[in-house]
Amino acid sequence: MAGMSAGNVDVVTWFVRHRPKGDTTAEAAVIEVQAVTLAAAIEKVRPTLPEGHVVTSVGPY
């Protein structure tokens, strides 16, 4: 994965999709975040999600 370099670590742009928990018919919203790993992207986004929302997918840009 290509990304921006932070020292000798590649920072990747991730798209994190989220929707209201339990509402599988709702269209997922997307948040773009810069992080080194998928786990770090989720960790950055979770505190910013609206109450009752869950992460549904994460993918690199």
Side-chain angles (χ1 to χ4, degrees):
M1 272 178 254
M4 299 182 305
S5 184
N8 57 354
V9 177
D10 279 341
V11 177
V12 178
T13 299
W14 299 89
F15 289 118
V16 181
R17 295 174 61 91
H18 65 94
R19 63 170 171 73
K21 185 176 183 176
D23 187 354
T24 58
T25 62
E27 184 175 332
V30 177
I31 297 173
E32 187 177 323
V33 64
Q34 303 288 320
V36 176
T37 65
L38 180 142
I42 294 170
E43 190 174 301
K44 279 185 164 184
V45 168
R46 272 200 179 132
T48 69
L49 294 179
E51 187 173 334
H53 277 228
V54 294
V55 171
T56 58
S57 66
V58 181
Y61 175 73

